[in-house]
Amino acid sequence: MPLHPDPEASAGHLLSTDDGTPLARLRLRDDDGERVAGVVTPLPGADVRVLSAQARRDLAGARLETPDDALAAALVAGGLALRRAATDMRHDLTDVPEPVPLPAGWSWAPAGWDDDLAEGLAAAYGPDHPDGRWQPSDTAEVRGMFERAEPVPPLLPASARVVGPDGRSAGHVLAAGPVPWTEDLCAWILNLGVAPTAQRRGLGRALLGHALRGARAAGLPRVGLSVTDGNPAHRMYDEAGFRPVARVLTVPLPGDDGSPDARP
């Protein structure tokens, strides 16, 4: 059986050839209706070209995430697209920055979502941003967190908005936790963004510090996030004490009908 439970890892799976030769370890999960084959890690000696072909057949329609550059390269060489290259990071909350005053006229507001934030983040996440353009589906997902606690509820102590002198929301940090997609117990920063007109005032660092202090106050031992290659915020996370823990290379696998959006 090519895909079967891994006897050495709780909730893990092994992907094998048809004759039973193990190729890779992985963890299957559902991400808001999308099947995800996460942490796909080739076993020692596995041929990544064979693994690539086996994954395309037995994980058809799934979003494959791997820390392995060679596997991602083999999938791309086979005609698939690398959707995202990122680094997962953690902060152990042992050295959390003290609060700093916001600029004159700026104030904190409870976490939430409004049209001002939607407009500001749409401007901040333009077509040239490493994470891509802010989409209506992104707004729908954030609203779903606040209105229905789906796919996860926000961690309110670690989430907040900043409001400008005009009374409009101009940035926010949105965190959840503990989250089901990591094996370690942690809060997770889902989004931290500041509208272009409000940037270069230190608001991003203020929001990040708020998230770290809020996660610690909520009793969580660490904070995680994923930062895309080329995102200028990477430097801010480094300076705040985040450390890299894993690479995450994301390649959507085509479904049985050849569509990258098909579900198995």
Side-chain angles (χ1 to χ4, degrees):
M1 184 168 58
L3 188 64
H4 52 91
D6 183 353
E8 298 183 13
S10 174
H13 284 77
L14 285 173
L15 181 64
S16 303
T17 60
D18 290 345
D19 64 7
T21 303
L23 294 171
R25 286 193 160 91
L26 64 142
R27 297 181 69 87
L28 294 174
R29 71 177 193 271
D30 178 87
D31 184 3
D32 198 24
E34 182 178 19
R35 190 186 188 204
V36 179
V39 202
V40 181
T41 305
L43 293 170
D47 187 326
V48 293
R49 293 169 298 179
V50 174
L51 172 55
S52 171
Q54 198 77 36
R56 291 186 64 158
R57 193 194 75 178
D58 295 312
L59 299 170
R63 186 178 82 217
L64 184 145
E65 298 176 347
T66 178
D68 191 82
D69 289 300
L71 174 56
L75 290 165
V76 171
L80 302 186
L82 179 67
R83 178 190 291 177
R84 186 171 186 255
T87 300
D88 275 4
M89 308 184 78
R90 297 289 189 278
H91 195 294
D92 293 328
L93 301 178
T94 55
D95 187 13
V96 175
E98 294 295 325
V100 295
L102 294 179
W106 290 81
S107 60
W108 292 102
W113 188 254
D114 56 30
D115 291 340
D116 294 333
L117 269 180
E119 179 182 335
L121 293 189
Y125 290 86
D128 296 328
H129 194 279
D131 285 315
R133 185 187 294 275
W134 187 266
Q135 301 288 348
S137 59
D138 297 318
T139 289
E141 185 170 4
V142 175
R143 288 192 183 278
M145 289 180 63
F146 285 107
E147 295 171 2
R148 302 182 301 278
E150 296 176 351
V152 291
L155 181 64
L156 295 178
S159 304
R161 290 176 293 135
V162 287
V163 176
D166 58 2
R168 301 179 63 184
S169 301
H172 83 151
V173 61
L174 176 61
V179 293
W181 54 82
T182 64
E183 295 184 12
D184 55 334
L185 182 66
C186 68
W188 196 269
I189 296 178
L190 296 164
N191 183 242
L192 192 160
V194 177
T197 55
Q199 292 176 5
R200 297 179 178 84
R201 291 180 170 87
L203 298 175
R205 284 178 170 78
L207 287 162
L208 180 59
H210 175 89
L212 296 176
R213 293 187 298 274
R216 186 170 63 179
L220 291 166
R222 62 190 63 87
V223 173
L225 56 81
S226 180
V227 59
T228 303
D229 290 3
N231 189 333
H234 202 309
R235 179 178 177 181
M236 179 177 71
Y237 300 138
D238 287 337
E239 292 175 348
F242 281 83
R243 57 182 174 81
V245 296
R247 290 284 288 158
V248 183
L249 306 168
T250 302
V251 181
L253 301 178
D256 293 332
D257 63 354
S259 167
D261 294 324
R263 301 289 180 261

